Amino acid sequence: MKASILNIGNELLSGLVVNTNASFIAQCLDGIGVSVHRIDTVSDSGDDIIFVLNHHLQQSDLIIITGGLGPTNDDITKHTLTERFGMKLQFHQPSFDNIINMFKNRGLEISETNRQQAMLPDGCIALINTQGTAPGMWFEVDSKIVISLPGVPFEMNYLMEVEVIPRLKEKVQHLTILRKLYLTTGIPESYLQDRLRDWELTLSENTQLAYLPEPGIVKLRLSVSGNNLDRVSQQFDVYESQLRDILQDEIFGTNSDTLESVIGQLLVEKKKTLSVAESCTGGFLAHLITSVPGSSIYFNGGVVSYSNQVKAELLKVDPQLIEKFGAVSQEVVIAMSQNVRQFMKTDYAIAISGVAGPDGGSVDKPVGTVWIAIASTESVQAKVFNFGEHRIRNIRRAAIAALNELRLTLEKQDLYDSKN
Amino acid sequence: MKASILNIGNELLSGLVVNTNASFIAQCLDGIGVSVHRIDTVSDSGDDIIFVLNHHLQQSDLIIITGGLGPTNDDITKHTLTERFGMKLQFHQPSFDNIINMFKNRGLEISETNRQQAMLPDGCIALINTQGTAPGMWFEVDSKIVISLPGVPFEMNYLMEVEVIPRLKEKVQHLTILRKLYLTTGIPESYLQDRLRDWELTLSENTQLAYLPEPGIVKLRLSVSGNNLDRVSQQFDVYESQLRDILQDEIFGTNSDTLESVIGQLLVEKKKTLSVAESCTGGFLAHLITSVPGSSIYFNGGVVSYSNQVKAELLKVDPQLIEKFGAVSQEVVIAMSQNVRQFMKTDYAIAISGVAGPDGGSVDKPVGTVWIAIASTESVQAKVFNFGEHRIRNIRRAAIAALNELRLTLEKQDLYDSKN
C-alpha cells in the first residue's frame, strides 16, 4: 500500500508552525508497514487542494489529509472534498452528540457554527473526535482510501491512534519490518561510511541501512523486511551481530537511548556515584546528566568553574599549576576531576576544561581545544579533543565526548571485573 | 515571486525526523516578502525527485531543495540535478579548500569520499558551506532559480542566511515589510490575548500581530507592510509604542534577544558579576548563561547541588534549615543564594531549589514547585512558582523565570540609580 500525506494550512507555508503532524502520521503508518512516498503542504485554497489531491489520487492508495476542518471561514477542506467526490452534506447525529457532550463538560453554549461541524458528506464514514468538535472523515473512492483529519495535533494524534490505525490494520497485508537504531559517537559520518562500505555491499535487497547524523552523534538505522517473520528476524540477528562486530564499542546504545541515559543505567547497575567539574561547557554536562529522571540517585552535583578564582578556591586547583600549564591543560583538568570527586564524595568524576570560543583561543590552544578527564577511586585519565570553532556546537560536542569517555571507562571496568 | 520548497529524505517520509527545515526556509523567505505556496517531501530516489521538481518548475519561480548532498551512497540530489539540467560534474577547488580546512582544524584525514563532495555541476554557482563538507548549489534555468542546500539544519540555516537570502534580495521587487519580534515571559498566551484584544481591533489592514508561544516565552510578531517606506515606518513606530505601553516591562527584548543575552548586557553595562546555585535545574541555568559569547566577563561560576550533602558542605547551608523547612523552601533557597554569592565573590547570585519530577513531589510541594532567590550586595528576595508536571519543561521554565527575576531586579536598580 502506497501512502501519501497532504497537510493543509497557511500557517505551515509561512513557517510560523513546524509540521509535526506529518512525522507523527508517517511514524504511525511505518509501524504497520505502510510507507509514505510523498508529503505535501498546500494553502487553505480549494483549487490548490484539488490540484494536489488529484495528483495523489493517481499515485497513492492511501491519502491522509490534515487541516482545514475548524469552524471558521477559512476552513474549507470538508466542502472541497464533498464536492470533489460528488457527495452532499447531511446532518450526522452521533457527531453532534459528541459536540454537545464536549460543550456541556466545559459549561459552554452551542452555536450555529458548531452545529455546522456535524454536517458531513453522505458517502463518508465519520470518525468521532472526542478531543474536539471537528469529526474525521474516511472516504473510499475508486479503491483508494482518503482520510481527512483535523490539524490540531492532539486531536489528529487521537484520531490516528484510536480510529485510523486499527481500521487500516485490517486492510493492510502484513509485511514484517524489523527496525533498530544503533547510536554511535566519536566517528564522523564519512569515516563510518568507509568502515561499513564493504559490509553494506553484502546486504540483501530487503535490507536498508540509513545514516542519521546529529552534532556529535551518528545514528544508523537498520531495516529488514519480508513476508516471513522467522526468516526476517533470523536475517536481522545476523546483520545486527555483523554490524556490532565491525563497530564494537563505538555503538553506545539503541533506539531511544541517549549517552546520559546509558551512563545513568551503568552507574545504577554498579551502584556508583558521579560528580562533575566543568568550565567551557558551563553547566551543559550537568544539565544532560540531570535531564534523566531519577538521576539524583547517582549524581551528587557539579561545579561550573568559569573563572580561575573558582578553580583555585572552590576546586582547590593549585594556582601554580594554572600559572604554569594554563587553565586548559592536562594537569589542571586532572586536578579538577580528582578534587571534585573527593569533596563531592563520589566514585567517579568528570572534568572538562577548554576554549569554547569565539574568544580565548591561541596558536597552541585554538578555539575548540578541550581537555576531558575521568577520575575514579583507582585511576585518572585525561584526553584532548578539538571540536572546531562554533561555540554552541563545541559545548554540545565536548559534553557528549565527556559522557562517552565515562561510558568507555565504566564498560572497561565491567571487562576488568568479569576477568577477576 | 512564487516559491516552493522541496525536502528530500527518507528519514522525513518515515517520520524519524521532523521537518524543521521547511519552516525555517519559509520564514526566511517570508521576511523578504517571498511567499511559499507549496512544500513537498520526497524520497531519496532520482525518479521521485525529478517528478516533483518538474511540477515545481511549472508552478514556481523559485525552488529551494534540501537534502541528499551528504557523502553517502543514498545521497543522490547532486547527480540528479546535474543530469536534469544537462550539466557535467567538475572539480571545484574553493569547495575542496573549504573541506580541507574543516578537516585540518579537527585533525582528521581527508578521504576519497570527501573529495567527491567538491565535484559540482559546471553550470551552477557554488555556495561555500563553512559549516560542513557539502557545498550548496544555485542554478538559474529558463528564468527559474533552483537552489540545492544540505539537509543538516545548521548547515542549511547558515547557507540560507549568509548566501541565499542576500542574493535573493537583489532579485526581489521590494514591498516594504517592517517586522519585529517582541519577547515576553511570565504571561500565558491566552492572558496576553485578553490584554491585547481591544488594541488589536484598532490595527489597520496592512498590519499583522502573530503569537508564537514557546515554553516559558511568548513571542509577538508585529508586521506592517506597504509601498511607501516612510509611511510604513511611521505607522510601525506608533504601533510599537502602543504595544510597549500596554505590556510595559513584560517585554524583555526584541528579535534575536534571549533572556540570557539581555541579563548579560545589563551586567556588562553595570560592571557587575554573577554566580548561581541550582538544584532542580541541574546545570541548565548555568548553561543558558554561558551559552552567551563573552559571558566569562560577568559569570564567575555555579554549583549544581543535587544532594543535600552538597547543599550543606559546599554551599554551607545549615543542615538544620534543610531539616526544618525542607530543601525546597524559602529559607534554604535564600541561604543558597547568599552563600554562593559570598564564596564566588560576585555582586549578584541566583539560587533555584525545586521539585523537577517525576518523583519527589508531596501534597505541600507537588512536582513543579520551585523556589527562586536573587541575592545582591544589598538585599535578597525569594519567590515561589509552580511550573507543572513535565520534567524537561519544568527545568526550562524554572531557569527562564530565574533569569527574568534577575532582569527585573537589575532594571529596578536602574530606576533606583536614576532617581538618586
PDB file of all heavy atoms in Angstrom, chain A residues 204-223:
ATOM      1  N   SER A 204      21.365  -7.948   1.742  1.00  0.00           N
ATOM      2  CA  SER A 204      20.409  -8.382   0.729  1.00  0.00           C
ATOM      3  C   SER A 204      19.438  -7.250   0.402  1.00  0.00           C
ATOM      4  O   SER A 204      19.374  -6.246   1.106  1.00  0.00           O
ATOM      5  CB  SER A 204      19.649  -9.610   1.214  1.00  0.00           C
ATOM      6  OG  SER A 204      18.939  -9.270   2.383  1.00  0.00           O
ATOM      7  N   GLU A 205      18.652  -7.428  -0.682  1.00  0.00           N
ATOM      8  CA  GLU A 205      17.829  -6.336  -1.196  1.00  0.00           C
ATOM      9  C   GLU A 205      16.739  -5.864  -0.244  1.00  0.00           C
ATOM     10  O   GLU A 205      16.300  -4.724  -0.311  1.00  0.00           O
ATOM     11  CB  GLU A 205      17.161  -6.781  -2.504  1.00  0.00           C
ATOM     12  CG  GLU A 205      17.891  -6.262  -3.717  1.00  0.00           C
ATOM     13  CD  GLU A 205      17.098  -6.528  -4.975  1.00  0.00           C
ATOM     14  OE1 GLU A 205      15.848  -6.522  -4.906  1.00  0.00           O
ATOM     15  OE2 GLU A 205      17.725  -6.768  -6.016  1.00  0.00           O
ATOM     16  N   ASN A 206      16.289  -6.761   0.626  1.00  0.00           N
ATOM     17  CA  ASN A 206      15.215  -6.392   1.555  1.00  0.00           C
ATOM     18  C   ASN A 206      15.760  -5.680   2.796  1.00  0.00           C
ATOM     19  O   ASN A 206      15.072  -5.537   3.791  1.00  0.00           O
ATOM     20  CB  ASN A 206      14.432  -7.635   1.976  1.00  0.00           C
ATOM     21  CG  ASN A 206      15.320  -8.648   2.698  1.00  0.00           C
ATOM     22  OD1 ASN A 206      16.543  -8.603   2.575  1.00  0.00           O
ATOM     23  ND2 ASN A 206      14.712  -9.534   3.464  1.00  0.00           N
ATOM     24  N   THR A 207      17.030  -5.273   2.737  1.00  0.00           N
ATOM     25  CA  THR A 207      17.681  -4.675   3.900  1.00  0.00           C
ATOM     26  C   THR A 207      18.152  -3.267   3.566  1.00  0.00           C
ATOM     27  O   THR A 207      18.656  -3.015   2.478  1.00  0.00           O
ATOM     28  CB  THR A 207      18.892  -5.536   4.306  1.00  0.00           C
ATOM     29  OG1 THR A 207      18.413  -6.864   4.532  1.00  0.00           O
ATOM     30  CG2 THR A 207      19.544  -5.018   5.575  1.00  0.00           C
ATOM     31  N   GLN A 208      17.976  -2.368   4.525  1.00  0.00           N
ATOM     32  CA  GLN A 208      18.415  -0.991   4.313  1.00  0.00           C
ATOM     33  C   GLN A 208      19.215  -0.497   5.497  1.00  0.00           C
ATOM     34  O   GLN A 208      18.899  -0.815   6.646  1.00  0.00           O
ATOM     35  CB  GLN A 208      17.204  -0.067   4.179  1.00  0.00           C
ATOM     36  CG  GLN A 208      16.597  -0.040   2.799  1.00  0.00           C
ATOM     37  CD  GLN A 208      15.663   1.134   2.688  1.00  0.00           C
ATOM     38  OE1 GLN A 208      14.901   1.400   3.607  1.00  0.00           O
ATOM     39  NE2 GLN A 208      15.711   1.839   1.565  1.00  0.00           N
ATOM     40  N   LEU A 209      20.249   0.288   5.202  1.00  0.00           N
ATOM     41  CA  LEU A 209      20.998   0.958   6.258  1.00  0.00           C
ATOM     42  C   LEU A 209      20.969   2.453   5.966  1.00  0.00           C
ATOM     43  O   LEU A 209      21.367   2.887   4.891  1.00  0.00           O
ATOM     44  CB  LEU A 209      22.441   0.458   6.312  1.00  0.00           C
ATOM     45  CG  LEU A 209      23.241   0.983   7.498  1.00  0.00           C
ATOM     46  CD1 LEU A 209      22.840   0.273   8.780  1.00  0.00           C
ATOM     47  CD2 LEU A 209      24.739   0.840   7.250  1.00  0.00           C
ATOM     48  N   ALA A 210      20.458   3.251   6.935  1.00  0.00           N
ATOM     49  CA  ALA A 210      20.405   4.707   6.741  1.00  0.00           C
ATOM     50  C   ALA A 210      21.276   5.392   7.782  1.00  0.00           C
ATOM     51  O   ALA A 210      21.381   4.923   8.914  1.00  0.00           O
ATOM     52  CB  ALA A 210      18.969   5.201   6.855  1.00  0.00           C
ATOM     53  N   TYR A 211      21.931   6.493   7.376  1.00  0.00           N
ATOM     54  CA  TYR A 211      22.783   7.287   8.272  1.00  0.00           C
ATOM     55  C   TYR A 211      22.030   8.542   8.704  1.00  0.00           C
ATOM     56  O   TYR A 211      21.574   9.302   7.851  1.00  0.00           O
ATOM     57  CB  TYR A 211      24.055   7.722   7.530  1.00  0.00           C
ATOM     58  CG  TYR A 211      24.992   6.592   7.183  1.00  0.00           C
ATOM     59  CD1 TYR A 211      24.700   5.736   6.132  1.00  0.00           C
ATOM     60  CD2 TYR A 211      26.168   6.394   7.895  1.00  0.00           C
ATOM     61  CE1 TYR A 211      25.555   4.702   5.804  1.00  0.00           C
ATOM     62  CE2 TYR A 211      27.041   5.364   7.570  1.00  0.00           C
ATOM     63  CZ  TYR A 211      26.721   4.516   6.516  1.00  0.00           C
ATOM     64  OH  TYR A 211      27.563   3.499   6.191  1.00  0.00           O
ATOM     65  N   LEU A 212      21.891   8.754  10.012  1.00  0.00           N
ATOM     66  CA  LEU A 212      21.196   9.940  10.508  1.00  0.00           C
ATOM     67  C   LEU A 212      22.140  10.718  11.424  1.00  0.00           C
ATOM     68  O   LEU A 212      22.251  10.420  12.608  1.00  0.00           O
ATOM     69  CB  LEU A 212      19.932   9.534  11.269  1.00  0.00           C
ATOM     70  CG  LEU A 212      19.002   8.545  10.550  1.00  0.00           C
ATOM     71  CD1 LEU A 212      17.950   7.995  11.494  1.00  0.00           C
ATOM     72  CD2 LEU A 212      18.332   9.219   9.374  1.00  0.00           C
ATOM     73  N   PRO A 213      22.856  11.717  10.877  1.00  0.00           N
ATOM     74  CA  PRO A 213      23.837  12.435  11.686  1.00  0.00           C
ATOM     75  C   PRO A 213      23.235  13.580  12.504  1.00  0.00           C
ATOM     76  O   PRO A 213      22.323  14.256  12.046  1.00  0.00           O
ATOM     77  CB  PRO A 213      24.796  13.008  10.629  1.00  0.00           C
ATOM     78  CG  PRO A 213      23.970  13.140   9.397  1.00  0.00           C
ATOM     79  CD  PRO A 213      22.813  12.171   9.494  1.00  0.00           C
ATOM     80  N   GLU A 214      23.729  13.751  13.722  1.00  0.00           N
ATOM     81  CA  GLU A 214      23.437  14.909  14.576  1.00  0.00           C
ATOM     82  C   GLU A 214      24.774  15.398  15.118  1.00  0.00           C
ATOM     83  O   GLU A 214      25.739  14.662  15.082  1.00  0.00           O
ATOM     84  CB  GLU A 214      22.573  14.480  15.777  1.00  0.00           C
ATOM     85  CG  GLU A 214      21.196  14.030  15.393  1.00  0.00           C
ATOM     86  CD  GLU A 214      20.474  13.368  16.568  1.00  0.00           C
ATOM     87  OE1 GLU A 214      20.945  13.482  17.719  1.00  0.00           O
ATOM     88  OE2 GLU A 214      19.446  12.745  16.315  1.00  0.00           O
ATOM     89  N   PRO A 215      24.848  16.629  15.668  1.00  0.00           N
ATOM     90  CA  PRO A 215      26.157  17.055  16.185  1.00  0.00           C
ATOM     91  C   PRO A 215      26.693  16.079  17.247  1.00  0.00           C
ATOM     92  O   PRO A 215      26.059  15.859  18.272  1.00  0.00           O
ATOM     93  CB  PRO A 215      25.865  18.423  16.820  1.00  0.00           C
ATOM     94  CG  PRO A 215      24.668  18.929  16.078  1.00  0.00           C
ATOM     95  CD  PRO A 215      23.853  17.704  15.758  1.00  0.00           C
ATOM     96  N   GLY A 216      27.842  15.458  16.945  1.00  0.00           N
ATOM     97  CA  GLY A 216      28.477  14.552  17.905  1.00  0.00           C
ATOM     98  C   GLY A 216      28.000  13.118  17.860  1.00  0.00           C
ATOM     99  O   GLY A 216      28.614  12.238  18.453  1.00  0.00           O
ATOM    100  N   ILE A 217      26.883  12.877  17.210  1.00  0.00           N
ATOM    101  CA  ILE A 217      26.282  11.537  17.209  1.00  0.00           C
ATOM    102  C   ILE A 217      25.845  11.172  15.792  1.00  0.00           C
ATOM    103  O   ILE A 217      25.316  12.022  15.072  1.00  0.00           O
ATOM    104  CB  ILE A 217      25.070  11.492  18.176  1.00  0.00           C
ATOM    105  CG1 ILE A 217      25.560  11.504  19.630  1.00  0.00           C
ATOM    106  CG2 ILE A 217      24.173  10.291  17.919  1.00  0.00           C
ATOM    107  CD1 ILE A 217      24.481  11.650  20.660  1.00  0.00           C
ATOM    108  N   VAL A 218      26.119   9.933  15.360  1.00  0.00           N
ATOM    109  CA  VAL A 218      25.533   9.447  14.105  1.00  0.00           C
ATOM    110  C   VAL A 218      24.683   8.217  14.432  1.00  0.00           C
ATOM    111  O   VAL A 218      25.151   7.274  15.071  1.00  0.00           O
ATOM    112  CB  VAL A 218      26.603   9.079  13.051  1.00  0.00           C
ATOM    113  CG1 VAL A 218      25.937   8.589  11.768  1.00  0.00           C
ATOM    114  CG2 VAL A 218      27.496  10.274  12.742  1.00  0.00           C
ATOM    115  N   LYS A 219      23.406   8.267  14.019  1.00  0.00           N
ATOM    116  CA  LYS A 219      22.519   7.121  14.223  1.00  0.00           C
ATOM    117  C   LYS A 219      22.472   6.307  12.936  1.00  0.00           C
ATOM    118  O   LYS A 219      22.382   6.862  11.853  1.00  0.00           O
ATOM    119  CB  LYS A 219      21.110   7.605  14.571  1.00  0.00           C
ATOM    120  CG  LYS A 219      21.056   8.413  15.858  1.00  0.00           C
ATOM    121  CD  LYS A 219      19.647   8.890  16.173  1.00  0.00           C
ATOM    122  CE  LYS A 219      19.680   9.654  17.502  1.00  0.00           C
ATOM    123  NZ  LYS A 219      18.360  10.176  17.880  1.00  0.00           N
ATOM    124  N   LEU A 220      22.571   4.980  13.090  1.00  0.00           N
ATOM    125  CA  LEU A 220      22.445   4.088  11.942  1.00  0.00           C
ATOM    126  C   LEU A 220      21.128   3.348  12.079  1.00  0.00           C
ATOM    127  O   LEU A 220      20.848   2.763  13.136  1.00  0.00           O
ATOM    128  CB  LEU A 220      23.583   3.069  11.950  1.00  0.00           C
ATOM    129  CG  LEU A 220      24.988   3.638  11.782  1.00  0.00           C
ATOM    130  CD1 LEU A 220      26.020   2.578  12.159  1.00  0.00           C
ATOM    131  CD2 LEU A 220      25.179   4.086  10.348  1.00  0.00           C
ATOM    132  N   ARG A 221      20.317   3.373  11.036  1.00  0.00           N
ATOM    133  CA  ARG A 221      19.063   2.635  11.122  1.00  0.00           C
ATOM    134  C   ARG A 221      19.090   1.439  10.197  1.00  0.00           C
ATOM    135  O   ARG A 221      19.200   1.561   8.988  1.00  0.00           O
ATOM    136  CB  ARG A 221      17.873   3.513  10.766  1.00  0.00           C
ATOM    137  CG  ARG A 221      16.569   2.821  11.163  1.00  0.00           C
ATOM    138  CD  ARG A 221      15.376   3.639  10.802  1.00  0.00           C
ATOM    139  NE  ARG A 221      15.260   3.709   9.355  1.00  0.00           N
ATOM    140  CZ  ARG A 221      14.235   4.253   8.741  1.00  0.00           C
ATOM    141  NH1 ARG A 221      13.249   4.803   9.418  1.00  0.00           N
ATOM    142  NH2 ARG A 221      14.186   4.281   7.422  1.00  0.00           N
ATOM    143  N   LEU A 222      19.005   0.253  10.802  1.00  0.00           N
ATOM    144  CA  LEU A 222      18.988  -0.992  10.039  1.00  0.00           C
ATOM    145  C   LEU A 222      17.543  -1.457   9.914  1.00  0.00           C
ATOM    146  O   LEU A 222      16.823  -1.531  10.917  1.00  0.00           O
ATOM    147  CB  LEU A 222      19.828  -2.041  10.774  1.00  0.00           C
ATOM    148  CG  LEU A 222      19.933  -3.414  10.127  1.00  0.00           C
ATOM    149  CD1 LEU A 222      20.740  -3.360   8.829  1.00  0.00           C
ATOM    150  CD2 LEU A 222      20.569  -4.424  11.089  1.00  0.00           C
ATOM    151  N   SER A 223      17.080  -1.735   8.686  1.00  0.00           N
ATOM    152  CA  SER A 223      15.713  -2.224   8.464  1.00  0.00           C
ATOM    153  C   SER A 223      15.767  -3.479   7.599  1.00  0.00           C
ATOM    154  O   SER A 223      16.429  -3.493   6.572  1.00  0.00           O
ATOM    155  CB  SER A 223      14.858  -1.216   7.696  1.00  0.00           C
ATOM    156  OG  SER A 223      15.061   0.083   8.141  1.00  0.00           O
TER     157      SER A 223
END
